[in-house]
Each structure stands twice: as structure tokens, then as C-alpha cells.
Amino acid sequence: MTDERAEDISGLSFEAALEELERIVRQLEAGEAPLDESITLYERGDRLRTHCEARLKAAQARIEKIQLDADGKPAGTEPLDPA
């Protein structure tokens, strides 16, 4: 396939990966790609989906939650416990 298809997904930002995944979905939904290309697109799309999920989980782990004091007022933050 093209160099674009061989591009390393791990270096893509979430936004770039999502944009490419959406493009692939549109191509597959249009049904205009030959079977072999459709399979290749689907496989790349699946890798992009996995990459996006991993990036979202990593971002969620960095989110801070607000600690409240005894009066219910914000008193600071602490790292989100993803468990």
C-alpha cells in the first residue's frame, strides 16, 4: 500500500488518529474500494481505534479530581484514581 498506510500510528496525536479513522470509515461506508484495499483499510482502522482508546485512557488517568473540604468547598486537587 502507500506510505500513508505504513505510517507508524503510535506517533499520531489523538486528533490526527481520529481524523484518519473517520476518513477510513467514510471510505468503507461508500463501498468504492476494492476488496483487498477494504481489508487493509479495516485493519488500519482497527489499529487507529485501539490507539485512540489508549490515548483516551492515558488522558483520563491524568485528569485531576477536586477535593472538597468539610464545608464542601474546593480545597485542592489530587490525581484521578482510574481504578
Side-chain angles (χ1 to χ4, degrees):
M1 284 267 112
T2 66
D3 290 339
E4 178 185 351
R5 305 264 190 271
E7 175 184 314
D8 183 31
I9 291 172
S10 66
L12 293 176
S13 68
F14 173 80
E15 293 79 8
L18 185 59
E19 183 178 313
E20 184 178 349
L21 178 57
E22 289 171 343
R23 182 184 54 77
I24 287 172
V25 168
R26 284 191 301 274
Q27 280 184 274
L28 290 172
E29 286 178 343
E32 296 174 359
L35 179 60
D36 288 342
E37 184 179 351
S38 292
I39 292 169
T40 301
L41 286 168
Y42 180 86
E43 290 169 342
R44 182 160 177 86
D46 188 52
R47 290 191 305 274
L48 287 163
R49 179 194 55 80
T50 300
H51 175 72
C52 286
E53 285 178 352
R55 296 293 299 244
L56 282 174
K57 286 180 183 178
Q60 183 179 15
R62 292 190 320 255
I63 294 173
E64 294 182 332
K65 66 180 179 183
I66 298 174
Q67 292 180 318
L68 302 177
D69 64 15
D71 296 326
K73 296 180 183 174
T77 60
E78 66 181 46
L80 175 71
D81 180 9

